[in-house]
Amino acid sequence: MMAFLPKTLLLLLVVVVCIQLSGVLAQTVPDRCWCLKTLKKRVPKEDVVEFSIFPRRARCNNIEIILTLKPVNSTIPSTTTEQIQRCLSPETRQGINLQHCWQRKNTNGTRSTVKMSECF
């Protein structure tokens, strides 16, 4: 019975260390790509409220453009105002134009979003 106790304590110590390390790694490892599919067609600028652009990162080799769209009128009553977001391909003409606007408006690198009205 006494030989079982040191093995149990050692196993418990290993588990605690692994849990602590997994928390540290989760905070330091960048996210993977958020945009699994991107729109290749133009989105009417009237439908877009704002957009964000995320540069290439360690674990995502893509430039990601995330559009926040205006809510669509629905016949189903909704109690929440859920934002609709879509990913736009950065290679499209609209994607390139939004990247240029982003660079003009985000000169100090502190903005997370740009209003569509600021670009056009």
Side-chain angles (χ1 to χ4, degrees):
M1 185 72 171
M2 291 301 260
F4 180 71
L5 187 60
K7 290 180 182 179
T8 304
L9 288 175
L10 181 61
L11 181 61
L12 181 62
L13 179 64
V14 168
V15 169
V16 169
V17 168
C18 288
I19 290 172
Q20 291 295 320
L21 285 176
S22 69
V24 169
L25 290 177
Q27 293 172 1
T28 59
V29 175
D31 292 335
R32 291 189 175 148
C33 294
W34 295 306
C35 296
L36 300 179
K37 291 176 24 178
T38 60
L39 298 172
K40 303 283 188 214
K41 62 180 185 170
R42 184 185 170 284
V43 178
K45 63 182 176 187
E46 301 82 30
D47 294 348
V48 181
V49 176
E50 61 188 17
F51 65 96
S52 298
I53 297 182
F54 299 93
R56 291 177 172 93
R57 302 181 300 282
R59 295 188 65 187
C60 181
N61 199 29
N62 303 328
I63 296 172
E64 297 181 299
I65 302 174
I66 300 177
L67 306 175
T68 301
L69 305 177
K70 292 179 181 176
V72 177
N73 291 337
S74 174
T75 57
I76 302 170
S78 176
T79 57
T80 62
T81 56
E82 184 177 326
Q83 288 185 335
I84 300 169
Q85 293 185 319
R86 296 289 181 263
C87 293
L88 178 69
S89 172
E91 289 89 27
T92 63
R93 175 174 280 172
Q94 186 178 24
I96 292 168
N97 289 339
L98 291 178
Q99 290 177 69
H100 290 306
C101 176
W102 180 267
Q103 290 167 354
R104 286 191 314 269
K105 299 295 179 182
N106 196 23
T107 55
N108 59 4
T110 59
R111 295 181 77 168
S112 59
T113 61
V114 171
K115 299 284 184 198
M116 196 67 158
S117 60
E118 294 179 59
C119 290
F120 301 101

